[in-house]
Amino acid sequence: MSLPQFPDGFFFGTATASYQIEGAYDEDGRGMSIWDTYCREPGRVADGATGDIACDHYHRYREDVALLRDLGVDSYRFSVAWPRIQPDGTGPANAAGLDFYDRLVDELLASGISPAATLYHWDLPQALEDRGGWRVRDTAERFGEYAGLVADRLGDRVDRWITLNEPFCSAFVGYAAGGHAPGAREGRGALAAAHHLLVGHGLAVRALREAGAREVGITLNPDRLLPATGSPADLAAVRRVETLHNDVWFEPLFAGRYPQHEAETWGELADGSYRREGDLELIAAPLDFTGINYYRPITVADAPYRDPDPASRTAVDVRAEETWRDDVRHTTMGWPVVPHTFTDLLVDLAKRYPGLPPLLITENGSAEADTVDADGRVRDTDRIDYLHSHLDALAAAIDAGVDVRGYYVWSLLDNFEWARGYGQRFGIVRVDYDTQERIPKDSYHWYRQLISAHRDRTTTGGATGATPRTTPGKDPR
Ligand code: IFM
């Protein structure tokens, strides 16, 4: 099969997140995060797993950057752990925490790799959760301050800043479904959390701009939603899920308004009492890019409320259910593999939001049942097929006119897959959690070949999209 082709200047990378790979949970002054707490609550995470050690990236980051260099990526997306910078979520920066990211960024630059930093990939300082977490506006204010601290230290070298990763998961999986930290099951609290995450994003953008940050954006995980049937009931269910998953974020960020169908979706829960005048302007401040994480479509059918009592109903209970598809392959996460839905989603977003800034695919990948063969090789052909077909789908979206500038594979390493623990392997590099040995899988070699073919074929050779500069040791690919 021939490799998909991308335009000049298109760049490739891999992505990770702090809690999923770093380990060293109590070193150098790091405070506790909501995930440290959640993992310690019996029954929350598969096999009682925690991120205490994870991939030990905190100590092995040089080895991991060497893997990236050998892979030939243009950019690496990592996240900064807020509790390393502000152990209690407020006050001055913990210098040792910033030092770690300083070393990581310098190591990347010395390897010719453009750093892309996510400020919030779900590890909220526990002390802030104890004061209400994202349900309260104060957390948004604190997030803006934290963004300023990180940008003051790293802003001269980080090319691309992502304020939030998948706020849908923070607000609705964390505060409504209870499947992520902090494990709450709420209605109005989750809707308030969603709004305060957006306010926090706006404040972080402001702080990043003030610190002279280069490119600033946010990462969302819009879902491609398909009706189970063409019935009016299923179509209405799709509209409610679309409001919950997508419109909550896209409408305020890119259309300057709150979602049109929120009353139909949540009734009185969506009373808007957590909103203030001026919030929409803050949230809708212009961005340099929008990060999109995409994995799978969701097929939606109308369903009764799971909780008949409106007083205890959560914000994810919107009279809809996901239906299983038996016509396609599923990854080990149980996610259907339907690549053309990636094209459809991107084309649709570009059509619905004409002012959408250029897109970056900040995550895409698959969890598969990898094994190490007797010769030491990991022949992860299912993952290669997944990546190949989704990159083909991405190239089709670009051909259809969607402005997409780069792509990050999720993930560089096998890692802590949240409530699923270590059983789900998303890496293009295998991690043996007993020895911490890294084994590049066949997908790593496949991706390397794709990047190198792109570099040979295009005149810019896979530009980083970064502002040119003269950092010593930087190899300007
Ligand atoms: O592992 C996660 C990541 O942290 C956020 N996006 C989805 C990935 C796979 O579930």
Side-chain angles (χ1 to χ4, degrees), residues 20 26 100 138 153 255 363:
Q20 296 182 270
D26 59 354
F100 169 67
D138 182 63
R153 179 71 179 272
E363 287 182 26

Side-chain angles (χ1 to χ4, degrees), residues 17 20 121-122 165-166 293 295 333 335 363 410 415-418 426:
Q20 296 182 270
H121 200 124
W122 309 350
N165 178 72
E166 301 183 6
N293 292 353
Y295 291 90
M333 292 290 281
W335 292 351
E363 287 182 26
W410 183 268
N415 59 51
F416 175 77
E417 178 52 26
W418 308 111
F426 272 94

Side-chain angles (χ1 to χ4, degrees), residues 9-61:
F10 191 89
F11 67 88
F12 292 97
T14 67
T16 61
S18 47
Y19 192 73
Q20 296 182 270
I21 65 165
E22 283 178 3
Y25 81 104
D26 59 354
E27 283 186 43
D28 295 335
R30 179 186 179 278
M32 292 291 274
S33 77
I34 53 175
W35 272 95
D36 296 294
T37 306
Y38 189 78
C39 289
R40 283 164 175 71
E41 292 170 3
R44 293 292 206 182
V45 175
D47 304 321
T50 73
D52 290 3
I53 300 172
C55 306
D56 196 29
H57 171 77
Y58 192 76
H59 300 115
R60 294 167 194 264
Y61 71 92

Side-chain angles (χ1 to χ4, degrees), residues 52-129:
D52 290 3
I53 300 172
C55 306
D56 196 29
H57 171 77
Y58 192 76
H59 300 115
R60 294 167 194 264
Y61 71 92
R62 283 199 181 84
E63 187 187 337
D64 294 335
V65 173
L67 283 164
L68 289 166
R69 186 174 51 232
D70 177 63
L71 183 58
V73 288
D74 306 295
S75 179
Y76 172 59
R77 174 180 175 229
F78 60 95
S79 81
V80 177
W82 189 349
R84 286 199 195 283
I85 311 304
Q86 292 177 298
D88 292 327
T90 60
N94 166 35
L98 281 172
D99 289 347
F100 169 67
Y101 297 103
D102 204 277
R103 292 193 295 274
L104 173 64
V105 163
D106 282 347
E107 189 75 13
L108 289 167
L109 292 172
S111 303
I113 298 165
S114 162
T118 304
L119 286 168
Y120 187 70
H121 200 124
W122 309 350
D123 35 8
L124 182 72
Q126 180 61 43
L128 292 184
E129 178 57 30

Side-chain angles (χ1 to χ4, degrees), residues 266-300:
W266 290 295
E268 285 170 11
L269 271 186
D271 62 10
S273 53
Y274 33 80
R275 294 174 183 154
R276 290 197 193 157
E277 212 179 309
D279 283 357
L280 270 181
E281 291 70 30
L282 177 71
I283 294 166
L287 298 176
D288 303 307
F289 64 88
T290 302
I292 300 288
N293 292 353
Y294 189 74
Y295 291 90
R296 51 123 179 202
I298 300 181
T299 306
V300 174

Side-chain angles (χ1 to χ4, degrees), residues 240 243 259-270 305 319:
R240 294 191 293 276
T243 302
Q260 225 182 323
H261 301 291
E262 57 183 1
E264 172 189 337
T265 306
W266 290 295
E268 285 170 11
L269 271 186
Y305 280 121
R319 285 177 290 143

